[in-house]
Amino acid sequence: MKKRVRLPYDRQNEVLDQVTVEPVLLTTEAQPSYVLLAADRDQQLVDRLVLLEDCAFGQLAQTALERSQMVGTEAFTAALQQIAQSPQ
């Protein structure tokens, strides 16, 4: 269900002007309900979130790599050759 917020016209302009400077918190019955952001600030926050997620996933991948039991190409090839040469 959509909720309509009605402000007098002069207050609308005041709120929209303020949004260009900083986020505006709208409340309902003294409780935070909505935050209005300028579109460019919203995009900055989304970009920052994506960057932080990428950093977190990169750190997880690095940790997984450091803890992995990977063998080098030569060891892998040698193991395959042993398997191929062993009697069935």
Side-chain angles (χ1 to χ4, degrees):
M1 172 187 281
K2 290 185 179 182
K3 187 172 187 176
R4 290 184 174 234
V5 177
R6 293 180 188 240
L7 291 173
Y9 184 74
D10 59 330
R11 289 290 311 208
Q12 289 176 19
N13 288 336
E14 179 185 333
V15 168
L16 293 177
D17 287 344
Q18 187 63 30
V19 167
T20 63
V21 177
E22 63 186 351
V24 173
L25 178 66
L26 301 180
T27 60
T28 303
E29 298 177 10
Q31 296 297 314
S33 298
Y34 304 94
V35 175
L36 300 178
L37 294 173
D40 61 338
R41 180 66 176 136
D42 178 64
Q43 188 60 52
Q44 289 173 352
L45 290 172
V46 169
D47 292 345
R48 185 169 182 196
L49 178 61
V50 168
L51 178 63
L52 290 172
E53 286 176 336
D54 289 348
C55 289
F57 287 131
Q59 288 175 346
L60 288 173
Q62 182 65 36
T63 300
L65 181 61
E66 290 169 359
R67 293 181 180 172
S68 70
Q69 299 291 326
M70 295 177 60
V71 296
T73 305
E74 292 174 13
F76 180 72
T77 304
L80 285 178
Q81 287 175 344
Q82 279 185 333
I83 292 171
Q85 293 173 357
S86 65
Q88 302 279 346

